[in-house]
Amino acid sequence: MAPGPPLSAAEAYRPNRFVSLPAELDPDTYDASPEKRRAEAERLAIRARLKRQYQLQLNNPNPPAIIEDPALLRWAYARTQNVYPTFRPTPKTSFLGALFALGPLIFWAAVFKVHRDHKEKLIQEGAHIFSIQVNWYKEYGIVTVEVLKHECREKTVNSD
């Protein structure tokens, strides 16, 4: 007698006692109740309908200027416009909101205050050197005003 056709991979599979069964192959996981199967079938029907609508727009001989993907539009709406029904204010989100809103302001205020205090201390000790130079034109040349260590000097440069 001739042997029958070879067994498929699914038929030839035998569980190994040393390795646990993956969740995709575990009958307890994929044997769902009729309600779950019905809900999944409805979701698959919606996805198939949206995919068909997009394919019809994509393969239209006279396509519109913008081809809209309804699945992408729904996803974008859920991400941007419909945030509050899915957002839950928790202590973590409140803390992160305050951190990102007030954190940079407090950081830069502290940096500027420390810098200003350090500069004020140097000025009071007389160690800070001002180097401000202002130029303006007068009738006979350029006048330069330099301020160095709280002293003001004026130099006139003739433009000859």
Side-chain angles (χ1 to χ4, degrees):
M1 202 160 169
L7 297 175
S8 68
E11 294 171 340
Y13 177 79
R14 299 288 175 256
N16 188 344
R17 66 177 192 209
F18 300 113
V19 180
S20 62
L21 197 60
E24 294 84 18
L25 298 176
D26 188 12
D28 297 333
T29 304
Y30 68 79
D31 278 346
S33 65
E35 295 86 26
K36 285 186 180 180
R37 287 187 199 154
R38 194 174 313 113
E40 189 166 339
E42 288 175 11
R43 286 193 297 272
L44 286 174
I46 291 171
R47 286 182 62 203
R49 193 168 53 246
L50 291 172
K51 184 176 179 181
R52 176 164 168 69
Q53 180 183 354
Y54 178 69
Q55 291 294 333
L56 286 173
Q57 288 179 2
L58 190 63
N59 296 319
N60 187 0
N62 299 319
I66 297 175
I67 297 176
E68 296 178 348
D69 184 0
L72 184 62
L73 289 176
R74 289 169 57 146
W75 178 81
Y77 173 75
R79 292 282 294 176
T80 57
Q81 304 296 324
N82 197 22
V83 174
Y84 293 109
T86 58
F87 174 73
R88 290 187 331 191
T90 61
K92 179 182 176 183
T93 56
S94 301
F95 172 73
L96 288 176
L99 181 70
F100 284 109
L102 301 176
L105 296 174
I106 293 170
F107 171 77
W108 285 113
V111 167
F112 290 143
K113 175 146 179 44
V114 166
H115 178 67
R116 187 176 56 210
D117 291 345
H118 177 68
K119 192 172 179 182
E120 181 67 27
K121 180 183 168 199
L122 290 177
I123 289 172
Q124 287 177 354
E125 292 173 356
H128 184 70
I129 298 174
F130 289 92
S131 62
I132 301 172
Q133 186 174 7
V134 180
N135 296 330
W136 69 86
Y137 293 98
K138 279 197 172 176
E139 188 176 342
Y140 298 108
I142 301 173
V143 175
T144 302
V145 176
E146 294 179 354
V147 178
L148 296 173
K149 280 195 176 180
H150 304 286
E151 299 172 4
C152 183
R153 294 183 298 185
E154 185 173 317
K155 292 192 279 184
T156 304
V157 179
N158 291 332
S159 58
D160 290 331

